[in-house]
Amino acid sequence: MRTLYHHWLYPGARLARLVLGEKGLDAELRVVTPWQRDESFLALNPSGEVPVLMEPDGSVVAGAYAVGEYLDEVHTDPPLLGADPLSRAEVRRLTAWFGEVFRRDVTEPLAGEKLLNRIMGGGAPDSRALRAGRTNIHIHLDYIAWLTQSNRFLTGPRPTLADLMAGAHLSLVDYAGDVPWEDHPAAKEWYMLLKCRPCFRSLLADQEPGLRPAPHYANLDF
Amino acid sequence: MRTLYHHWLYPGARLARLVLGEKGLDAELRVVTPWQRDESFLALNPSGEVPVLMEPDGSVVAGAYAVGEYLDEVHTDPPLLGADPLSRAEVRRLTAWFGEVFRRDVTEPLAGEKLLNRIMGGGAPDSRALRAGRTNIHIHLDYIAWLTQSNRFLTGPRPTLADLMAGAHLSLVDYAGDVPWEDHPAAKEWYMLLKCRPCFRSLLADQEPGLRPAPHYANLDF
């Protein structure tokens, strides 16, 4: 059996779950707490980060970038990167946009402060970070609206790694109740399409004891 | 003619220069200052970051991840990612290690504080950041030594995208004079091999007026 080492609060590990889901691949999910040093896990991935994928033969693939590309190379149906080098470049640009820029601008100041920081036993959320995240998110939701003007998904009629990376991050911010969907109907429509996909089911079932999601988090019609 | 929009202080743009060099591809280099908002450049890459590659037909590829993968797909000789999916996964894991973990642990606290911050007109370097960077770098140089125990380069007998990403970052920290090479002979030997490659020549010629590199920066025998 394939094993995915993950933690629900890590966007890269959420991406790996979404890619497995889109590809129709089963995996046993094992929870790792990356902020607690675990020597046996560090032997699998020296950075200590999730996701780490272990194939049935014991081969190990570590990190969101490596796992996404690897699964798309080995399990080609459906393709998640695009049909030609320039299309793949555009998918990779947007995957990095959500994985790096959105992360810094929105996920860390909002979900990082409200969820991860709390689970790690940190203090109250930093109100300046929350304010910054709540301002920044509008630019990103406008950008999603702009990208999906003539397409159902970010780069075309089918979701790619870029949509899944965006969904991995936005679903965490949505868990914290911090996505102003009502101000962004086009982004909401795109997210609704993504949320209805079978690959999203496992993410929508995430529930941390003592840290309940926003009431609409798992609703497909929100 | 191919054009690369870059800035010498951005590791991702240094990576793009190294990949072009390894592939033997010419490109006109155009300098962009990513911290100054330039509308015409934002039209090419909404994140405002370098590198951005423009092909002779006007096609645009933006971001270090997309540019590295794109150039390796379109110009396959020499291959920079590996021959099979698991080898490529290992190259991508290490590329992300240097691009994300090394960046956070070493490049930002050292080169970021001493070089980029100064050019952007910031104040004196944060001494706590410098101390952290100078402690962290030992772990990374030890890791390079461990990885190159049985290979000339990080994942095998030839350099890959991972070596180039590591070199893109380390060369900046070396410009600032903050790599303790004498304590790490194995890492030094690996860097010497990399530094001697023709692709490195353009990086070693980097000279910012008023911000001189460490005396050994461009020496092949340092």
Side-chain angles (χ1 to χ4, degrees), chain B residues 90-200:
Chain B
E90 179 62 357
V91 169
R92 287 174 175 132
R93 174 182 79 80
L94 285 170
T95 303
W97 169 280
F98 288 100
E100 294 168 22
V101 186
F102 188 93
R103 170 198 292 264
R104 182 196 64 206
D105 288 356
V106 180
T107 316
E108 288 181 354
L110 292 176
E113 286 293 325
K114 289 177 70 175
L115 306 176
L116 187 59
N117 189 37
R118 179 139 162 220
I119 285 190
M120 289 168 68
D126 176 348
S127 61
R128 275 177 50 191
L130 295 181
R131 251 197 321 275
R134 286 179 185 141
T135 302
N136 296 338
I137 196 169
H138 291 288
I139 300 162
H140 288 275
L141 294 170
D142 284 343
Y143 191 40
I144 289 172
W146 185 80
L147 289 165
T148 53
Q149 257 175 336
S150 49
N151 285 311
R152 284 162 61 90
F153 291 98
L154 297 178
T155 60
R158 292 194 45 84
T160 66
L161 202 61
D163 296 273
L164 301 185
M165 182 66 100
H169 280 263
L170 262 169
S171 60
L172 267 184
V173 181
D174 198 37
Y175 189 103
D178 278 317
V179 185
W181 292 120
E182 296 317 314
D183 300 339
H184 297 275
K188 182 179 175 178
E189 200 176 320
W190 160 84
Y191 188 64
M192 211 184 277
L193 285 175
L194 206 58
K195 208 173 170 180
C196 290
R197 298 183 77 81
C199 71
F200 240 78

Side-chain angles (χ1 to χ4, degrees), chain B residues 8-30:
Chain B
W8 74 278
L9 273 169
Y10 282 69
R14 293 173 85 75
L15 174 75
R17 288 161 72 195
L18 291 174
V19 174
L20 287 166
E22 276 293 314
K23 302 282 186 185
L25 300 169
D26 285 327
E28 187 196 334
L29 297 184
R30 283 207 205 156

Side-chain angles (χ1 to χ4, degrees), chain A residues 65 69 73 88 92 97, chain B residues 47 65 69 73 88 92:
Chain A
Y65 161 38
E69 294 271 350
E73 283 185 357
R88 288 192 284 277
R92 288 174 175 133
W97 169 280
Chain B
S47 80
Y65 163 38
E69 294 271 350
E73 283 184 357
R88 287 192 285 277
R92 287 174 175 132

